[in-house]
Amino acid sequence: MASFKLTINNRAYSADVEGDTPLLWVLRDNLGLVGTKYGCGIAQCGACTVHLDGKAVRSCVLPVSAVGKAKVTTIEGLSEKGDHPVQKAWDEVDVAQCGYCQAGQIMTAAAFLKEKPKPTDEEIVGAMSGNLCRCGTYHRIREAVKVAASKTN
């Protein structure tokens, strides 16, 4: 076992785990940050999406040893008061149904809009296509990304 120094949500953490432990399990089981969800374990659903230096990554397949000095942001750290433009848009559009996929959807949308603040509908569909929603709220997800984009420009 090794000790990993991590910067998560602008706070310093230490985790004593095997280097091949997926970041998802370090976040949830070792550090108590349970907003990031387990969906598939093979980086196909997006429920585990976090930011690594601002880029959306799938934490279920990212070994903690690969994080290095990168800054990790989870849904808990996206905004202090839940007032990130994407979070506000999610509420405004009433996206969530069961809510399980929402943390990953929001993290993907936030990273996408940071890189592409004025996306087309096709770009939104492309950016969000790797995130699955068991409830089928894709139309509301797309609408919320558009609303968030309109409020950040």
Side-chain angles (χ1 to χ4, degrees):
M1 216 175 297
S3 184
F4 293 90
K5 305 292 182 210
L6 304 165
T7 302
I8 304 168
N9 302 331
N10 296 314
R11 289 187 53 206
Y13 288 90
S14 181
D16 295 325
V17 295
E18 297 294 334
D20 62 350
T21 304
L23 178 61
L24 172 66
W25 300 120
V26 174
L27 294 170
R28 293 182 60 81
D29 294 347
N30 298 89
L31 305 178
L33 297 169
V34 296
T36 305
K37 304 299 183 206
Y38 172 79
C40 68
I42 57 173
Q44 295 298 302
C45 74
C48 68
T49 303
V50 298
H51 295 173
L52 194 65
D53 283 341
K55 305 281 186 199
V57 298
R58 305 296 168 89
S59 64
C60 71
V61 296
L62 180 69
V64 69
S65 59
V67 173
K69 295 184 186 291
K71 293 181 180 177
V72 177
T73 305
T74 68
I75 191 69
E76 292 95 339
L78 189 59
S79 68
E80 238 178 80
K81 299 175 184 171
D83 59 357
H84 184 280
V86 174
Q87 291 170 307
K88 289 170 78 173
W90 243 247
D91 285 343
E92 182 179 326
V93 177
D94 198 22
V95 172
Q97 191 161 321
C98 84
Y100 196 82
C101 70
Q102 297 310 295
Q105 299 276 4
I106 289 168
M107 295 303 286
T108 298
F112 168 63
L113 290 174
K114 190 172 183 181
E115 287 189 17
K116 188 77 174 175
K118 295 184 181 195
T120 65
D121 287 350
E122 294 78 25
E123 289 168 329
I124 293 170
V125 169
M128 301 304 295
S129 68
N131 288 70
L132 301 180
C133 174
R134 295 173 184 167
C135 301
T137 65
Y138 298 110
H139 61 288
R140 293 195 307 251
I141 291 167
R142 283 190 300 275
E143 183 61 28
V145 174
K146 286 196 267 190
V147 167
S150 73
K151 293 185 178 195
T152 57
N153 297 316

